[in-house]
Amino acid sequence: MTYDLWEPTGFKTRVDDVLKRFVAEEADRFAAVDPLLDPVAGQLEAAVADGKRLRAAFCYWGWRAVGQPDSDALVRAAAAMELVHAAAVVHDDLIDDSPLRHGRPTAHLALRGAVRRRPRRDAAARSLAMLVGDLLMALAGELFAASGLPAAYLARARPLWTVMARELIAGECLEILRTGAVPDTDASLKVIRYKTAKYTVEQPLLIGGALAGAGTGLRDGFRAYGLPLGEAFQLRDDLLGLFGDPEVTGKANADDVRAHRPTALLAETWRLADDDERERLRALLGRPDPGGESLEEVREVMRRLGAPARVEDMIGARVEEALDVLHELALPPYADTALTALARSAALRPS
């Protein structure tokens, strides 16, 4: 592989190898404490079995954009971003009570078998899943610290970990607090910004740049590129979550509607709706488990009002904003090319 050319499949393979080896070793150590822990250890490994590895890629190209060469140690540090994501996914699925991820039962459902003879089986399984997420976050810090990069490099990036954790948890809390409230586009975009956008693009880029010694101007450019692109990524996810094919997305497409989550798609639908349409939406969203005909009716209201097209416009505007910033940064051509390709892959993906 020529590392000055962006070859996403080869990069993903490198990150997958790091993650699977590291987590398998840690899962073995964990399970060695007691055989009862085997199912929990299995969920640690399941958490890193899939993924596009976008966060690792943005961290890698934050490093390369400064002019640093390819580095296996940097790939290990970048892979730690995927453990942060794995932890966030386990916690998010638990909070949202999502049944599927990558076409498989989520951790809190998969762990029911481990506690099937216990009182309050569901609560016990949810507690185990919460602890899986906690351990994955701890392992992310360990992989980063043990990546093999010089201590001085790691010290430059360490404060950003605190920022990343604070903003990620703030976003998750905001989503919980906004769920069920009157839909509002600005509020929904704020949830997106903190829950997903920052830790998906902006923070991995900044961490990679900090490891490489990026200057103030480049760090500002990473923020200006990363934030709108991260928002576009989540807006795309929201569209796919309701209108995508579950066989492709691997997720149940009634989740957002069932939980009345504060998505920009719902907020734009609400903004465009008249009083009668809002009353109908209230009835549909208020059902404990909307699906089938009611889910299709929500989709139809959204299509009729043009909300999906409006969200598509929001995605396109954010990608254009990010790429305009990127092309003004005077990066090495290979970094500009890779970050352009990543922007399109993250926000314009069909599935």
Side-chain angles (χ1 to χ4, degrees), residues 257 279-287 290 294-295 297-298 301:
V257 172
E279 190 62 33
R280 185 57 185 153
L281 283 168
R282 281 192 193 96
L284 292 167
L285 294 169
R287 293 181 182 177
S294 59
L295 180 61
E297 188 172 347
V298 172
V301 171

Side-chain angles (χ1 to χ4, degrees), residues 135 153 177 268 287 304 339:
L135 183 51
Y153 288 27
L177 293 165
E268 282 298 288
R287 293 181 182 177
R304 186 171 67 250
L339 288 169

Side-chain angles (χ1 to χ4, degrees), residues 155-177:
R156 290 195 294 247
R158 194 165 290 119
L160 293 172
W161 275 79
T162 302
V163 175
M164 179 168 58
R166 179 194 308 127
E167 293 181 339
L168 171 56
I169 292 170
E172 192 71 69
C173 289
L174 282 174
E175 183 178 69
I176 294 169
L177 293 165

Side-chain angles (χ1 to χ4, degrees), residues 242-254:
L242 188 55
F243 291 96
D245 180 354
E247 293 294 324
V248 177
T249 66
K251 294 185 277 188
N253 59 9

Side-chain angles (χ1 to χ4, degrees), residues 14-325:
R14 295 174 77 190
V15 174
D16 284 347
D17 288 347
V18 169
L19 287 173
K20 289 174 182 177
R21 186 179 305 113
F22 176 78
V23 174
E25 290 171 357
E26 291 294 335
D28 286 346
R29 294 185 184 106
F30 181 80
V33 173
D34 192 290
L36 277 175
L37 295 171
D38 283 348
V40 184
Q43 287 306 302
L44 292 173
E45 295 190 80
V48 299
D50 302 282
K52 300 176 182 67
R53 311 314 186 199
L54 283 172
R55 293 157 186 86
F58 282 117
C59 183
Y60 177 85
W61 285 105
W63 163 274
R64 296 299 311 278
V66 183
Q68 293 279 14
D70 177 73
S71 159
D72 287 339
L74 188 280
V75 171
R76 287 192 290 274
M81 303 294 104
E82 297 298 330
L83 286 175
V84 172
H85 176 52
V89 163
V90 171
H91 284 151
D92 194 50
D93 287 342
L94 177 60
I95 291 165
D96 293 341
D97 201 21
S98 297
L100 292 174
R101 176 73 62 165
H102 298 297
R104 296 191 301 271
T106 47
H108 62 282
L109 296 185
L111 286 165
R112 285 179 178 177
V115 291
R116 62 185 178 276
R117 295 186 179 88
R118 273 60 167 185
R120 300 179 67 240
R121 179 191 69 165
D122 290 357
R126 293 175 71 84
S127 297
L128 290 175
M130 176 185 69
L131 294 168
V132 168
D134 292 347
L135 183 51
L136 286 165
M137 188 65 81
L139 292 177
E142 172 60 23
L143 179 57
F144 188 78
S147 62
L149 289 171
Y153 288 27
L154 295 172
R156 290 195 294 247
R158 194 165 290 119
L160 293 172
W161 275 79
T162 302
V163 175
M164 179 168 58
R166 179 194 308 127
E167 293 181 339
L168 171 56
I169 292 170
E172 192 71 69
C173 289
L174 282 174
E175 183 178 69
I176 294 169
L177 293 165
R178 289 290 313 176
T179 292
V182 175
D184 178 85
T185 300
D186 288 341
S188 294
L189 288 172
K190 189 169 190 178
V191 171
I192 283 171
R193 190 171 305 125
Y194 283 92
K195 181 189 170 188
T196 304
K198 284 176 169 284
Y199 99 93
T200 296
V201 185
E202 181 189 38
Q203 290 294 348
L205 267 174
L206 288 171
I207 288 170
L211 290 169
T216 301
L218 186 52
R219 292 198 303 271
D220 289 345
F222 283 166
R223 291 187 183 93
Y225 162 87
L227 190 56
L229 182 55
E231 290 180 2
F233 172 87
Q234 185 56 44
L235 289 168
R236 173 64 61 200
D237 236 33
D238 290 346
L239 277 176
L240 291 171
L242 188 55
F243 291 96
D245 180 354
E247 293 294 324
V248 177
T249 66
K251 294 185 277 188
N253 59 9
D255 279 4
D256 287 345
V257 172
R258 176 174 56 84
H260 197 165
R261 289 179 197 143
T263 66
L265 178 59
L266 177 58
E268 282 298 288
T269 302
W270 191 264
R271 184 181 65 81
L272 295 164
D274 61 24
D275 289 344
D276 289 342
E277 289 163 331
R278 288 182 177 184
E279 190 62 33
R280 185 57 185 153
L281 283 168
R282 281 192 193 96
L284 292 167
L285 294 169
R287 293 181 182 177
D289 189 24
E293 292 182 5
S294 59
L295 180 61
E296 186 52 42
E297 188 172 347
V298 172
R299 290 193 186 106
E300 180 53 36
V301 171
M302 290 178 168
R303 291 189 191 102
R304 186 171 67 250
L305 294 172
R310 170 63 184 141
V311 173
E312 286 284 3
D313 290 343
M314 294 165 71
I315 293 169
R318 282 161 172 76
V319 173
E320 184 177 352
E321 178 185 347
L323 292 178
D324 285 348
V325 169

